[in-house]
Amino acid sequence: MTVERTVIEHYRHGALEEALLAGLIAAGKDPDKLTPDDLAAADEFHIGGRQATIDFATEFAPAPGRHLLDIGSGIGGPSRFFAQHYRCRVTGIDLSAEYVIAASSLARRVGLDSHVEYRQASALELPFPEHSFDDAYMQHVGMNIADKVRLFHEMRRVLKPNGMFALYDVMRIDEGPLSYPLPWASSEEANFIETPATYRALLTAEGFVVVKERNRAEFALDIFRALTAKSAAGGPPPFGLHIVMGATAQQKTANMLALLERGTIAPVEMICRRVEINPHAGNV
Ligand SMILES: C[S@@+](CC[C@H](N)C(=O)[O-])C[C@H]1O[C@@H](n2cnc3c(N)ncnc32)[C@H](O)[C@@H]1O
């Protein structure tokens, strides 16, 4: 099986949209009268959920009217956030057809479908001409991509000169074995976490300057402690990310939390700018 097929299989749910709508109804929502905030507990598939996107967006800060590319857009929470709160137009691409369908349907339901669009595509073969986007971002996707040289090369190709590329990925901070399943990989075949130093070196080689970097381990641990206390008090809520993660959600989260606590992994933000490559003087 190719890596991409393995990744698609890992994220496959089978009846995702129906399960999300059932969860919303169980939470007392009317699926015909939804707002983007109603979806936030399940449509932000990364550590820290909506709060992580708020913090990430504050650092990234795209100007209103910019056309953004969302690499690995999932079921679309971050893209709808940037459309609603930053007045950007967002194109999301994702390997999973099931996610693309759910993301499009949720965007229609919350009335944001004229500001966001989703396409099934690989980050390693972006179906766009060069200089198509003002800025781009990626949240919790690099862990599934072995060929980061090609990923960053594609990113640079489709970005306009001086465009920003913001990323928020789980990275390796220390040595040590990983236990599976994890939220992004059922086995080591889909796991390609790298160190911040590797990201920095590859980004720089592909013509980006990392202008800001932030390790979000403490934020992540605080979020998980609060979530653990809440679910110990009454089980998982009717609508949440566990619906997207499926039957093994609890195990995936527990394995990830143990690695976070051990300091083996951490979610890290990097805000980068596409620069001209000057072979004689380094990137400027
Ligand atoms: C953990 S989810 C994050 C989704 C979304 N970025 C978010 O934060 O809500 C990872 C997503 O990356 C997508 N993905 C993984 N590898 C990809 C690739 N090579 N090209 C496009 N999408 C990819 C997966 O299908 C999945 O939807």
Side-chain angles (χ1 to χ4, degrees):
M1 214 188 290
T2 65
V3 169
E4 292 194 343
R5 184 50 52 200
T6 306
V7 169
I8 291 170
E9 282 308 315
H10 167 75
Y11 289 108
R12 184 186 303 286
H13 183 288
L16 181 57
E17 199 181 339
E18 294 86 330
L20 289 168
L21 293 178
L24 283 161
I25 292 167
K29 304 290 177 192
D30 178 345
D32 295 323
K33 287 187 192 142
L34 293 172
T35 67
D37 284 351
D38 291 333
L39 306 176
D43 70 358
E44 302 260 6
F45 195 174
H46 47 257
I47 295 173
R50 168 59 68 84
Q51 188 57 50
T53 295
I54 293 171
D55 298 349
F56 176 72
T58 304
E59 297 297 304
F60 175 26
R66 304 280 280 184
H67 187 192
L68 310 183
L69 173 65
D70 181 338
I71 295 287
S73 42
I75 63 167
S79 51
R80 289 186 290 272
F81 179 86
F82 280 109
Q84 185 189 14
H85 295 281
Y86 282 76
R87 307 245 167 266
C88 293
R89 194 173 126 221
V90 189
T91 298
I93 65 104
D94 201 283
L95 276 184
S96 160
E98 189 178 22
Y99 281 13
V100 167
I101 291 167
S104 306
S105 165
L106 293 173
R108 269 195 304 280
R109 285 180 182 275
V110 300
L112 283 171
D113 48 323
S114 56
H115 303 278
V116 294
E117 61 174 330
Y118 305 98
R119 286 171 72 164
Q120 184 187 14
S122 166
L124 300 180
E125 215 166 323
L126 294 171
F128 307 109
E130 63 175 23
H131 302 166
S132 293
F133 296 94
D134 296 310
D135 302 300
Y137 65 93
M138 173 176 99
Q139 291 187 293
H140 283 40
V141 180
M143 304 96 80
N144 286 135
I145 299 182
D147 192 350
K148 290 183 179 55
V149 171
R150 186 156 159 199
L151 168 68
F152 298 148
H153 188 81
E154 275 295 85
M155 188 65 71
R156 180 183 169 82
R157 184 182 66 76
V158 302
L159 265 182
K160 291 180 183 166
N162 288 315
M164 301 302 289
F165 169 37
L167 66 90
Y168 176 55
D169 271 353
V170 178
M171 299 188 192
R172 183 179 273 286
I173 304 300
D174 207 350
E175 305 280 312
L178 307 186
S179 313
Y180 297 92
L182 287 162
W184 61 91
S186 303
S187 69
E188 63 182 12
E189 272 94 74
N191 175 68
F192 303 100
I193 59 166
E194 285 293 353
T195 62
T198 301
Y199 270 74
R200 254 178 265 126
L202 297 178
L203 283 160
T204 305
E206 285 304 319
F208 290 95
V209 166
V210 180
V211 292
K212 287 188 224 170
E213 179 177 331
R214 182 160 67 152
N215 180 319
R216 305 237 64 206
E218 277 311 310
F219 159 77
L221 287 168
D222 286 348
I223 291 263
F224 280 110
R225 283 181 200 121
L227 281 177
T228 309
K230 224 173 172 180
S231 52
F239 185 70
L241 201 45
H242 58 279
I243 297 175
V244 181
M245 288 201 278
T248 53
Q250 221 180 342
Q251 191 59 54
K252 287 170 177 160
T253 308
N255 287 340
M256 181 176 72
L257 183 52
L259 291 168
L260 274 169
E261 281 172 334
R262 227 176 284 145
T264 309
I265 61 169
V268 177
E269 284 174 355
M270 287 183 182
I271 312 292
C272 316
R273 187 163 55 85
R274 182 193 193 281
V275 292
E276 293 317 309
I277 297 175
N278 180 340
H280 303 296
N283 295 342
V284 290

